[in-house]
Amino acid sequence: MKNFVEELKWRGMIQDIMPGTEEKLMEGPTAAYVGIDPTADSLHIGHMVSIMILKHFQECGHKPIALVGGATGMIGDPSMKSQERNLLDEQTLSHNVSCIREQLSRFLDFESGAGNCAELVNNYDWMKGWSFLDFTRDIGKHITVNYMMAKDSVKKRLSSESREGMSFTEFTYQLLQGYDFLYLYEHKGCVLQMGGADQWGNITTGSELIRRMLGKEAYALTCPLITKADGTKFGKTEKGNIWLDPQRTSPYRFYQFWLNVSDEDAERYIKIFTLLDRETIEGAIAAHRENPGARSLQKLLAREVTVMVHGEAEYNNAVSASAILFGNATSEQLRSLDEKTFLDVFDGVDTFTVSKDKLPCNILELLAVETSVFPSKGECRKMIQGGGVSINKEKVTDINAAIGEESILDGKYILAQRGKKNYYIIKVE
């Protein structure tokens, strides 16, 4: 068996680990779980550390269990949060769980029938039968309030300047998560819980509950919370989260996120978010340091993660889309883009609106009268004659050219280019 702990260590993916964890895993195939809150109907790249831990766990011959918190998701984990999270209704949670299940299947083997096949569980299935009185009597009595108050996640909220403090609902979260561990230990032979560094308190509550109620040993492992080199939150952009769902974040934008990380971040992320082996990664880092301007490490990182999440075809489309903006792409490549990718590629460029009944329209009229791509017909004429004007990536050489409906992309847009780098979208309505 491959040593799972050793694999995570060289990748920089271990923050805290309970003594005896590595030895336990080396005894033979073991089951471990990671919890995921179904607060949205898609995972985002902030979840990918947990996903990669489960993936490495399976690659090392062990059985990964993904726990989707249908019950705990109704409460909200207070860990590292400054205020209480919005609570979700059962119907919304059920929809989110279904979507997350489908996304996880891209990373983990749920279907092969191998002994270490992944399993997805929902803690609502075993929590829904508990009454409040039964749970507090049978489970709550084993963990003291003193023990729960000592957790960093609780102390942080209670000592914060916020007047809201912490609700009893949130306070019970660690006990519910602790019970999840106990349940999976008893019913799935799960002896290890893994998660982000902010989960250490909740995870150790579970191992303590198992020790007190069953007299057995259970283990804990956490990974560091990922940040960017400048200290800002990983996975967040001006437009919000980078989602795994292509409808929320296009594969082009997803690819661009990884392509544009800093050199320092690329060296960390390629270890954490890819399955490339140590020799390959160290070689890629060395080559990048010799010629950082080529951004070979970012390109390798972007390729590996995009292919893993969206597949080879979408990766190739993302590369082609990047070439449209930054390279010598063809009109045919431009026309192959779907609307969302087209708008992502040209996000932020000036947009003009033209009525469809104005077409066909002389190129000078279109770019200098109907729109303000050029301030005057004279300037537009001069640039066309100098070979500096393109429509939909095709050079316009005739000042008398007429732009008609055949030039409309996706039934809505015409892309005008002035010089090498200045793009304009003409929206036809």
Side-chain angles (χ1 to χ4, degrees), residues 242-382:
I242 302 295
W243 300 92
L244 304 193
D245 182 347
Q247 298 307 312
R248 285 174 173 255
T249 299
S250 70
Y252 166 79
R253 259 189 69 213
F254 185 88
Y255 169 77
Q256 284 292 322
F257 171 83
W258 299 100
L259 193 63
N260 290 311
V261 302
S262 69
D263 292 347
E264 185 180 336
D265 286 338
E267 291 193 11
R268 289 190 302 131
Y269 295 170
I270 200 158
K271 296 175 185 176
I272 296 168
F273 298 107
T274 78
L275 291 175
L276 296 172
D277 60 52
R278 188 169 190 169
E279 185 180 354
T280 302
I281 287 175
E282 289 176 350
I285 290 173
H288 175 76
R289 287 177 179 175
E290 286 181 16
N291 182 15
R295 298 184 71 77
S296 59
L297 194 62
Q298 283 90 339
K299 289 175 183 174
L300 178 60
L301 170 67
R303 173 191 157 73
E304 290 295 315
V305 183
T306 306
V307 169
M308 181 164 55
V309 173
H310 294 296
E312 191 89 33
E314 290 292 1
Y315 161 74
N316 290 329
N317 289 341
V319 173
S320 294
S322 300
I324 288 167
L325 193 57
F326 306 112
N328 298 315
T330 64
S331 174
E332 187 180 345
Q333 286 174 302
L334 178 67
R335 289 180 181 278
S336 71
L337 296 184
D338 60 86
E339 182 181 3
K340 182 166 179 54
T341 304
F342 174 83
L343 293 176
D344 278 341
V345 170
F346 297 102
D347 182 36
V349 309
D350 290 340
T351 301
F352 304 99
T353 301
V354 171
S355 174
K356 199 170 189 177
D357 59 23
K358 296 281 186 180
L359 301 181
C361 184
N362 171 263
I363 185 72
L364 301 180
E365 288 283 327
L366 181 66
L367 300 185
V369 178
E370 298 298 333
T371 68
S372 304
V373 172
F374 287 91
S376 68
K377 286 185 179 182
E379 195 169 324
C380 182
R381 182 184 294 109
K382 190 185 297 183

Side-chain angles (χ1 to χ4, degrees), residues 127-147:
M127 290 303 306
K128 63 186 176 185
W130 279 101
S131 72
F132 175 74
L133 291 176
D134 288 342
F135 189 82
T136 52
R137 180 193 64 196
D138 296 343
I139 306 300
K141 68 180 180 182
H142 294 283
I143 299 293
T144 66
V145 170
N146 303 49
Y147 180 87

Side-chain angles (χ1 to χ4, degrees), residues 43-208:
L43 301 172
H44 52 74
I45 60 174
H47 292 108
M48 279 195 66
V49 182
S50 295
I51 294 171
M52 293 306 295
I53 284 179
L54 288 174
K55 193 164 181 64
H56 284 300
F57 196 67
Q58 190 168 46
E59 295 273 326
C60 289
H62 301 290
K63 179 182 179 68
I65 298 173
L67 182 149
V68 183
T72 42
M74 292 182 176
I75 293 175
D77 181 4
S79 301
M80 308 300 283
K81 308 292 190 303
S82 58
Q83 59 186 14
E84 188 157 354
R85 156 187 306 177
N86 291 332
L87 308 186
L88 302 178
D89 60 69
E90 190 175 335
Q91 186 177 356
T92 303
L93 281 164
S94 177
H95 167 72
N96 292 354
V97 168
S98 174
C99 295
I100 289 169
R101 182 193 301 268
E102 188 176 334
Q103 287 185 337
L104 287 173
S105 66
R106 300 180 205 163
F107 302 91
L108 303 171
D109 168 23
F110 287 96
E111 305 293 340
S112 73
N116 68 329
C117 248
E119 193 170 342
L120 188 135
V121 295
N122 182 350
N123 61 10
Y124 183 72
D125 292 338
W126 57 82
M127 290 303 306
K128 63 186 176 185
W130 279 101
S131 72
F132 175 74
L133 291 176
D134 288 342
F135 189 82
T136 52
R137 180 193 64 196
D138 296 343
I139 306 300
K141 68 180 180 182
H142 294 283
I143 299 293
T144 66
V145 170
N146 303 49
Y147 180 87
M148 295 171 74
M149 294 278 286
K151 299 295 184 182
D152 286 343
S153 59
V154 176
K155 287 195 291 187
K156 184 173 183 290
R157 281 290 294 278
L158 292 179
S159 64
S160 71
E161 295 178 5
S162 169
R163 293 180 181 176
E164 295 177 14
M166 174 186 276
S167 69
F168 175 75
T169 303
E170 284 187 298
F171 183 62
T172 60
Y173 187 95
Q174 64 169 291
L175 192 57
L176 294 174
Q177 185 171 326
Y179 178 71
D180 287 341
F181 199 177
L182 174 73
Y183 181 91
L184 292 176
Y185 186 99
E186 289 188 291
H187 294 86
K188 303 288 183 183
C190 181
V191 300
L192 170 65
Q193 185 182 169
M194 305 180 290
D198 59 329
Q199 291 295 308
W200 182 255
N202 292 338
I203 293 172
T204 51
T205 295
S207 60
E208 182 66 11

Side-chain angles (χ1 to χ4, degrees), residues 8-29:
L8 291 196
K9 276 180 180 174
W10 78 260
R11 291 181 182 273
M13 295 175 73
I14 293 185
Q15 175 84 18
D16 294 300
I17 182 167
M18 194 173 282
T21 302
E22 183 173 6
E23 293 78 6
K24 179 65 179 176
L25 294 179
M26 290 309 292
E27 288 176 7

